[in-house]
Amino acid sequence: KADNSEASDKAEVPAYTSVVSAINKLAQGKGRDAAVAILSKFGVTRGPELKPEQYAAVIAECETAGA
């Protein structure tokens, strides 16, 4: 059962490419500084430094900031 719960957890993690897309979309719409500000909220300076468990929150932040 542990394997099943791990598999379902992984299924809920967005792909890193989705994070990149959200960050790029925000940068294009609101400027690079807006994208950098989102990353800094998560304690990183670059997308690759994000942990998979942060991906969904980063995407949500980008969508909120870009709205």
Side-chain angles (χ1 to χ4, degrees), residues 45-67:
T45 56
R46 300 171 48 237
E49 297 171 356
L50 290 166
K51 296 176 182 152
E53 57 267 22
Q54 295 175 306
Y55 292 175
V58 171
I59 292 169
E61 288 277 344
C62 288
E63 290 172 352
T64 300

Side-chain angles (χ1 to χ4, degrees), residues 34-46:
V36 171
I38 297 290
L39 292 174
S40 67
K41 279 186 175 183
F42 292 90
V44 301
T45 56
R46 300 171 48 237

Side-chain angles (χ1 to χ4, degrees), residues 1-62:
K1 288 187 177 181
D3 290 339
N4 289 341
S5 65
E6 286 178 22
S8 66
D9 288 345
K10 289 180 183 177
E12 296 173 17
V13 174
Y16 177 69
T17 54
S18 297
V19 177
V20 172
S21 177
I23 291 170
N24 287 339
K25 184 176 177 183
L26 177 63
Q28 289 170 0
K30 298 287 184 174
R32 182 180 182 276
D33 289 344
V36 171
I38 297 290
L39 292 174
S40 67
K41 279 186 175 183
F42 292 90
V44 301
T45 56
R46 300 171 48 237
E49 297 171 356
L50 290 166
K51 296 176 182 152
E53 57 267 22
Q54 295 175 306
Y55 292 175
V58 171
I59 292 169
E61 288 277 344
C62 288

